[in-house]
Amino acid sequence: MPINILSQETVNKIAAGEVVERPLNVVKELVENSLDAFASSVTVEIEEAGKKLVRVSDNGCGMDKKDLELSILRHATSKIENFEDLSHICTMGFRGEALSSIAAVSNFDVKTRKKGELSGWKLSSNGGKNVSVVPCSGSEGTITEVRDLFFNVPARQKFLKSDSTERSRIISSFEEAALANPEISFKMLSENKTVFSSSKTDDKLERISDILGKDFAKDLINIKIEHPKVILDIYFTGRDNSLANKKFQHLFVNSRPVNYPRQLIYYVYQAYRESMPRDRHPGILIYITIDPSEMDVNIHPTKREVKFADEQGVYDIIYKSLKNAIISHAHPEIKINSEPKETEILRPHTGSNFKYRHEKSRSFSNGGSVVAEPISKYNPKNYSIDKYANVFAKQQEFVSEKFDENIKVLGQAFNAYIVVENKGELYIFDQHAAAERIRYEVYLSQIKAQSLRVQQLLIPETFDMSPSGASVLKANIALFNELGIIVEEFGQNVFRITAYPSLLGNVAIKQIVKTIVSDIEEDKNAEIKEKTDKIIRSACRSSIKAGDSVSFVETKKMISDLFKCDHPFTCPHGRPTAYKISLNELEKFFKRK
Ligand code: ADP
Ligand code: MG
């Protein structure tokens, strides 16, 4: 086979594929360039969801003629000089490939005027060819215009989704940039209409309120922590304001929006564990400021992931402070008056010599360097973490001590409730919720003990699914199998179930599997652990039918099983299992007291 050396044009087009997959990436890269240029105001305009036009204007430092000419060459960057510089990145960009990639697949224009110069320059190119640079007028800063994206790569165009999908991706990404950088004004227009506009502010909460809504922002709790290793500014919902989805979870590291690392989000949920129903989610924005040499951003093509040198250390600080703040917010009445034990998170920040972009950007405008804002609302003096943990443990013991053989099951009401008397309290249990809790905990414990019992079906149940449902099921088949639901592919989008856990009883298992699949589909980014939990909960829920009458003996067994559970008072979906009335309340009601 004859070997060809590819032309620069072809090489650039291929490379462009890695950086620019869709209009969203163009917006993101250009906005990042504006941020790196110390802009205090950034405007994005799009037409036809960015397919026809993306224009990003900033009031940043601009470029002179020489830099402008270099800017669209591949691997041309002002942000690093050599490989070592990668170990302390303070800028959003550093690979020097965004402009060359974007220019290769669009009709591309940059108008720029360097700060302090009297006039500017305009660069134009078509698909990376016919590059010209001519003088032009205009204010200080840079306007980058990308027209007819992928006009010369039709294959790419085919991959693009509808305008509304592409537009909403752009908007979410722009919102993230705005959340990450409250000290910068942002504006976005689509087809010449303002989509949103947010003026710069020193107050993150104000920006959060602008972008995510006043209702969400008004209930947020804030903690600020300075640690020698890391500065944290966390805004989060308390126990009573959990949400139905994960939309309001953002992580920013040195002002870069990144995905939550799996382990970190796990810690966040752990911190909420006791105080949030299982199918609810926290709203949480974590702003991390860390010495750039303590992390690596060069591990993901679109820089959506970061790695911390001391990952565990950082996560520990977040977990502990978050957990304490959640507890103390939920129980302001509990104060333990002892001097705090010196723990890592309580140690004051001893000053930092690292710089990050905003230090530079602020020193640009006011000539001074800035560390983080002082600690305000978080005052850990009121309690010590360890002591608090003990109080909690005692309460738990108390709960389980309380329920012993004295429990008297009085009967069943409306075929749905079980009435129980115990030590001066009357409980009305929701039979359905209670059964769900019991089944859930049995399922979990059998899995943990690797003693899950499954029943083989004499005749396997066969069913078909939509292509998208089938792809979700296929991707999770191993997990289903691990959980005792033995599913296998049985043709194109057709599956069959040969066995399932005995504890689920006699159920329409294929219906259950379908429900679980659509649950998983709704939340594609769920972690294995969450998915596992979802499958177990869903299976337990669907396996119990409300309104079934239960014999007296069965109710007794049920209540005694329930009190063996770790969490007898909530069903796995977080609803309460019981309503409690004390003798005292009854007496008051009947005016005996
Ligand atoms: P990178 O951001 O990785 O350096 P880019 O291809 O995005 O690579 O940009 C190349 C260079 O062009 C940047 O390093 C910067 O010097 C310059 N540049 C790009 N956009 C702007 C802008 N809006 N204002 C000032 N300079 C810019
Ligand atoms: Mg860049």
Side-chain angles (χ1 to χ4, degrees):
M1 263 192 295
I3 293 179
N4 302 312
I5 302 282
L6 298 178
S7 70
Q8 195 54 42
E9 190 195 337
T10 311
V11 170
N12 282 351
K13 270 198 205 169
I14 294 171
E18 284 171 29
V19 181
V20 196
E21 198 187 342
R22 47 185 10 107
L24 154 75
N25 309 104
V26 173
V27 174
K28 190 167 170 286
E29 292 293 339
L30 297 184
V31 169
E32 288 189 359
N33 281 347
S34 298
L35 298 176
D36 285 344
F38 314 120
S40 64
S41 165
V42 180
T43 301
V44 173
E45 295 161 82
I46 54 170
E47 280 172 29
E48 292 177 16
K51 296 170 186 170
K52 184 165 167 228
L53 168 75
V54 173
R55 181 189 295 124
V56 176
S57 319
D58 68 50
N59 62 351
C61 63
M63 285 175 272
D64 59 18
K65 185 177 182 217
K66 188 177 116 272
D67 282 346
L68 179 61
E69 283 167 346
L70 290 175
S71 69
I72 64 159
L73 301 183
R74 212 159 132 63
H75 309 305
T77 179
S78 54
K79 300 168 193 174
I80 57 171
E81 276 178 35
N82 50 40
F83 186 71
E84 281 69 52
D85 288 346
L86 272 182
S87 63
H88 46 81
I89 293 288
C90 305
T91 50
M92 304 300 285
F94 51 83
R95 296 197 183 124
E97 50 189 16
L99 294 194
S100 67
S101 302
I102 296 168
V105 292
S106 68
N107 291 320
F108 183 78
D109 266 9
V110 186
K111 268 194 231 160
T112 184
R113 187 174 131 200
K114 191 171 169 158
K115 270 209 162 113
E117 294 200 349
L118 293 174
S119 63
W121 298 93
K122 175 179 170 180
L123 175 151
S124 311
S125 89
N126 311 104
K129 293 188 289 192
N130 316 323
V131 182
S132 69
V133 177
V134 296
C136 78
S137 58
S139 44
E140 287 179 343
T142 304
I143 302 174
T144 310
E145 234 176 63
V146 177
R147 291 185 181 275
D148 314 316
L149 186 64
F150 301 135
F151 77 94
N152 54 352
V153 206
R156 277 275 155 191
Q157 284 174 359
K158 288 198 201 109
F159 278 100
L160 297 184
K161 299 272 189 286
S162 70
D163 279 10
S164 70
T165 308
E166 296 293 345
R167 192 180 304 110
S168 81
R169 287 182 180 175
I170 293 176
I171 295 172
S172 325
S173 142
F174 195 55
E175 282 174 351
E176 262 193 322
L179 283 170
N181 299 279
E183 72 293 349
I184 293 167
S185 299
F186 284 94
K187 189 167 178 183
M188 172 154 196
L189 295 98
S190 169
E191 317 317 315
N192 291 320
K193 285 197 204 80
T194 304
V195 177
F196 77 75
S197 139
S198 180
S199 352
K200 58 180 165 194
T201 167
D202 298 335
D203 182 0
K204 286 201 184 73
L205 198 56
E206 206 175 294
R207 178 55 61 86
I208 295 173
S209 171
D210 260 7
I211 307 286
L212 301 180
K214 287 193 182 56
D215 275 352
F216 171 69
K218 76 176 181 344
D219 295 321
L220 291 177
I221 308 165
N222 172 227
I223 51 175
K224 293 182 181 0
I225 291 147
E226 289 197 38
H227 180 275
K229 274 195 184 140
V230 55
I231 302 172
L232 297 169
D233 194 0
I234 313 183
Y235 297 80
F236 56 99
T237 49
R239 183 172 74 164
D240 303 325
N241 295 302
S242 63
L243 307 165
N245 57 47
K246 304 178 179 172
K247 255 174 59 190
F248 296 111
Q249 298 180 349
H250 295 275
L251 175 64
F252 308 100
V253 180
N254 294 352
S255 300
R256 181 192 299 282
V258 292
N259 300 337
Y260 267 96
R262 258 172 191 234
Q263 223 194 335
L264 176 56
I265 200 71
Y266 170 76
Y267 278 117
V268 167
Y269 276 79
Q270 280 298 102
Y272 275 95
R273 208 166 70 104
E274 299 298 334
S275 56
M276 197 173 57
R278 279 179 177 261
D279 54 355
R280 305 284 295 176
H281 303 277
I284 179 163
L285 296 96
I286 303 185
Y287 293 83
I288 300 181
T289 306
I290 189 164
D291 184 334
S293 64
E294 289 287 316
M295 63 159 199
D296 188 357
V297 283
N298 194 25
I299 53 170
H300 190 257
T302 57
K303 296 167 277 184
R304 286 295 311 190
E305 280 165 25
V306 290
K307 211 165 162 40
F308 299 106
D310 178 11
E311 207 165 54
Q312 199 55 45
V314 173
Y315 296 167
D316 263 6
I317 298 170
I318 295 178
Y319 168 71
K320 283 186 192 153
S321 20
L322 192 59
K323 183 166 174 154
N324 288 322
I326 292 167
I327 295 174
S328 74
H329 190 262
H331 301 278
E333 73 286 359
I334 301 181
K335 286 212 169 76
I336 297 168
N337 292 318
S338 68
E339 275 303 298
K341 241 177 38 188
E342 169 115 358
T343 72
E344 277 222 306
I345 59 159
L346 307 180
R347 228 182 293 140
H349 183 58
T350 47
S352 154
N353 52 8
F354 66 82
K355 276 192 176 171
Y356 61 108
R357 186 164 46 77
H358 297 308
E359 281 186 63
K360 285 202 288 181
S361 83
R362 289 190 208 180
S363 59
F364 213 85
S365 53
N366 63 15
S369 83
V370 177
V371 189
E373 300 105 279
I375 305 179
S376 57
K377 296 168 200 163
Y378 181 60
N379 176 10
K381 280 229 162 91
N382 288 340
Y383 52 82
S384 105
I385 301 164
D386 297 349
K387 290 233 166 99
Y388 198 85
N390 286 341
V391 170
F392 231 59
K394 288 232 173 67
Q395 274 184 347
Q396 297 262 315
E397 276 165 34
F398 180 58
V399 167
S400 36
E401 256 170 36
K402 236 165 95 174
F403 297 96
D404 51 22
E405 24 342 302
N406 294 325
I407 302 166
K408 231 195 281 175
V409 179
L410 303 177
Q412 191 189 35
F414 311 120
N415 264 354
Y417 300 97
I418 304 170
V419 187
V420 173
E421 182 198 320
N422 178 55
K423 290 189 176 168
E425 321 257 34
L426 200 64
Y427 291 87
I428 301 174
F429 282 96
D430 177 337
Q431 194 173 299
H432 187 263
E436 212 178 302
R437 164 56 69 186
I438 297 166
R439 207 158 269 194
Y440 173 80
E441 295 214 3
V442 171
Y443 205 149
L444 275 188
S445 66
Q446 288 194 3
I447 286 173
K448 262 194 210 146
Q450 300 190 323
S451 62
L452 187 67
R453 289 179 31 213
V454 298
Q455 49 189 335
Q456 294 292 335
L457 291 171
L458 276 180
I459 305 162
E461 286 196 31
T462 307
F463 61 100
D464 59 5
M465 303 217 58
S466 69
S468 67
S471 81
V472 172
L473 182 51
K474 265 191 258 174
N476 290 287
I477 245 172
L479 188 56
F480 274 93
N481 289 352
E482 255 172 60
L483 300 177
I485 303 174
I486 313 298
V487 194
E488 55 198 28
E489 236 185 312
F490 194 56
Q492 173 120 44
N493 300 337
V494 179
F495 299 84
R496 68 174 186 186
I497 302 170
T498 55
Y500 66 89
S502 315
L503 64 97
L504 294 179
N506 187 7
V507 289
I509 188 69
K510 65 183 181 193
Q511 263 346 96
I512 294 182
V513 169
K514 283 187 170 188
T515 312
I516 297 173
V517 168
S518 62
D519 275 359
I520 298 180
E521 215 174 349
E522 241 181 53
D523 183 9
K524 286 205 177 75
N525 301 325
E527 322 252 315
I528 289 279
K529 207 176 132 44
E530 294 167 53
K531 267 197 251 174
T532 308
D533 199 49
K534 208 165 224 171
I535 295 177
I536 296 178
R537 273 190 285 132
S538 223
C540 294
R541 173 186 245 175
S542 342
S543 72
I544 288 157
K545 293 168 231 95
D548 276 0
S549 79
V550 181
S551 76
F552 194 61
V553 181
E554 279 172 313
T555 48
K556 268 193 129 158
K557 160 114 180 52
M558 194 160 175
I559 294 303
S560 104
D561 285 347
L562 184 62
F563 286 128
K564 285 182 201 137
C565 288
D566 287 341
H567 299 279
F569 291 116
T570 47
C571 86
H573 289 82
R575 291 186 310 278
T577 57
Y579 180 74
K580 183 172 88 171
I581 310 163
S582 67
L583 178 57
N584 207 358
E585 278 170 77
L586 277 181
E587 287 179 332
K588 269 197 192 141
F589 178 78
F590 290 113
K591 309 244 182 289
R592 284 172 179 275
K593 268 198 169 172

